[in-house]
Amino acid sequence: MARRCELTGKGVMTGNNVSHAKNRTRRRFLPNLNDVTLASETLGRSFKFRISAAALRTVDHRGGLDAFLAKAKDEELSDSALKVKRDVEKAQATA
């Protein structure tokens, strides 16, 4: 399972541990990923995603999963999130 947010594309970053003597060793900065279930009002069902804590705050700020997906770039979304976005757009177009 990749350490990548399904909604924002945020992933692992690398950097250095720096000791008091300025010795540098490589390290990894892992994203704060959480398994969450988000509900879509348009489709009337919920979806499970593995997203970062920052993405969860952004979803709440924008007013839910449907509003977040409407503004999200397709390149950043995972395959499952992109499928949900297309389903939401299709349901909103027919309604």
Side-chain angles (χ1 to χ4, degrees):
M1 186 174 356
R3 289 189 170 100
R4 184 161 298 276
C5 176
E6 293 188 47
L7 297 183
T8 61
K10 182 181 286 193
V12 177
M13 295 177 62
T14 59
N16 290 312
N17 280 327
V18 181
S19 72
H20 185 69
K22 300 289 193 262
N23 297 330
R24 287 171 168 82
T25 56
R26 298 304 285 178
R27 63 162 291 182
R28 292 167 21 119
F29 295 95
L30 301 177
N32 183 11
L33 296 179
N34 299 299
D35 293 317
V36 297
T37 303
L38 299 173
S40 169
E41 293 95 25
T42 306
L43 299 176
R45 55 181 291 234
S46 57
F47 300 93
K48 293 182 97 172
F49 292 111
R50 191 162 191 233
I51 65 172
S52 64
L56 184 58
R57 292 179 61 216
T58 306
V59 168
D60 289 339
H61 177 75
R62 289 192 183 166
L65 180 64
D66 298 342
F68 179 88
L69 291 174
K71 286 183 125 181
K73 297 177 182 172
D74 291 350
E75 308 89 52
E76 295 177 347
L77 297 175
S78 68
D79 293 337
S80 59
L82 195 56
K83 184 180 181 316
V84 172
K85 179 179 179 176
R86 291 193 179 119
D87 290 346
V88 168
E89 288 172 348
K90 189 183 298 182
Q92 288 176 343
T94 58

